[in-house]
Amino acid sequence: MPITNCGFPPMSVIGAPPNIQITSGAQHLVFKGPTTQVEIGFDATMFQNQAGSQLLTPAQSGSGPSASPPVVVAQPKVKVVEALIDTGASESCIDEVLAQELGLPMIDQANGSGIGGTASFNVYLGHIRIVGLNAVQFGRFMGVKLTDGGQPHCALIGRSMMQNMILVYDGRTGSVSLAI
Amino acid sequence: MALEREIAAFEKRRTDLEQTYPQKFVVFHDDDFVGAWDTLDAAAGEAIMRFGAGPYLIRQVGAPRPSLPASVLFRPLMVA
């Protein structure tokens, strides 16, 4: 069973000289939360395998599924960043700044409700791959302001991605394991 | 604003779409309604094949407003 560690070692060194702090794994876990390396990007081939099927409406003149040759999409851009395992989130999200940096296709703008009221967010096509598990979720993701808000993570792994996974959280030691 | 034309075209046809394609995923490119699909993957695959990285609108007809994770805190703009 593939397992990846999303927690912290018993003792961690944080910061750079002269402001070095030594914390326990348990303290580090409280401060940062369960964290894992993920690859964020957009790979058209993940979606293009789905093309040409299930068209429910008669195509408009000249715009049928095979009316024109496929558009060549640029090579996928990807970046490996840290993501927060966020069991409080139903959906996974990507940092807005990172989404723009990677050139993820923006497919919608939506009003979301949350703490503090409502706000407008961009919605992107892309994928999140948990590196340690080689587990991929592709689809649409809300672009949210994580780094702009001072958060250390560039993505949130929500429950939709974890629905077939096992998460073991040990707050006493700072150990967190995620498995599929 | 990105997707301004596509969103305006969607809003113009919203009533018709809600009656004809409830819960389906529709694609708009510029002012044109491209089609409706059962799944996001199928709609996205077709949109990518035709229009590459966009811009295009992919929206589920009648979908509820998304809820934001509590991790994404924000303050509403205050009016003086």
Side-chain angles (χ1 to χ4, degrees), chain A residues 17-178:
Chain A
N19 299 315
I20 290 178
Q21 281 185 303
I22 298 176
T23 65
S24 69
Q27 287 174 318
H28 204 166
L29 183 59
V30 170
F31 169 73
K32 195 168 181 180
T35 299
T36 190
Q37 297 277 309
V38 296
E39 174 197 278
I40 308 285
F42 170 68
D43 184 346
T45 60
M46 290 184 181
F47 296 92
Q48 284 174 324
N49 292 334
Q50 307 288 333
S53 61
Q54 299 173 284
L55 181 67
L56 300 174
T57 181
Q60 295 169 347
S61 176
S63 61
S66 303
S68 54
V71 171
V72 177
V73 182
Q75 285 295 311
K77 296 179 183 175
V78 297
K79 188 171 184 180
V80 175
V81 297
E82 287 189 330
L84 175 69
I85 306 296
D86 189 354
T87 58
S90 58
E91 301 293 335
S92 301
C93 303
I94 294 174
D95 180 53
E96 172 66 26
V97 174
L98 178 62
Q100 292 186 17
E101 177 188 331
L102 294 174
L104 303 184
M106 188 201 303
I107 61 164
D108 202 354
Q109 291 178 322
N111 291 318
S113 59
I115 296 171
T118 62
S120 180
F121 291 84
N122 296 326
V123 182
Y124 297 93
L125 285 180
H127 71 259
I128 298 177
R129 181 193 309 272
I130 297 177
V131 175
L133 299 176
N134 198 27
V136 181
Q137 180 181 33
F138 68 95
R140 59 179 173 178
F141 300 95
M142 278 197 292
V144 293
K145 293 181 178 176
L146 296 174
T147 52
D148 270 2
Q151 296 199 33
H153 303 93
C154 286
L156 304 178
I157 304 297
R159 297 191 299 273
S160 62
M161 188 169 191
M162 291 189 285
Q163 59 185 334
N164 295 315
M165 298 182 182
I166 299 167
L167 179 70
V168 179
Y169 183 106
D170 186 347
R172 299 167 302 178
T173 63
S175 165
V176 181
S177 298
L178 186 65

Side-chain angles (χ1 to χ4, degrees), chain A residues 42 44 47-48 50-57 60 63-65 70-71 73 86 89 93 105-109 111-113 115-119 121 125 138-140 142 144 151 156, chain B residues 1-3 7 13 21 24-25 32-42 44-46 48-53 56-60 65-74 76:
Chain A
F42 170 68
F47 296 92
Q48 284 174 324
Q50 307 288 333
S53 61
Q54 299 173 284
L55 181 67
L56 300 174
T57 181
Q60 295 169 347
S63 61
V71 171
V73 182
D86 189 354
C93 303
M106 188 201 303
I107 61 164
D108 202 354
Q109 291 178 322
N111 291 318
S113 59
I115 296 171
T118 62
F121 291 84
L125 285 180
F138 68 95
R140 59 179 173 178
M142 278 197 292
V144 293
Q151 296 199 33
L156 304 178
Chain B
M1 182 181 81
L3 299 176
I7 291 174
R13 297 189 58 157
Y21 303 110
K24 304 303 180 189
F25 291 86
D32 298 328
F33 172 46
V34 178
W37 286 263
D38 271 330
T39 66
L40 170 71
D41 296 350
E46 193 69 31
I48 292 166
M49 191 174 74
R50 291 196 205 183
F51 312 117
Y56 38 77
L57 174 74
I58 305 176
R59 184 176 284 185
Q60 187 177 19
R65 171 185 289 178
S67 62
L68 296 167
S71 317
V72 183
L73 302 177
F74 62 90

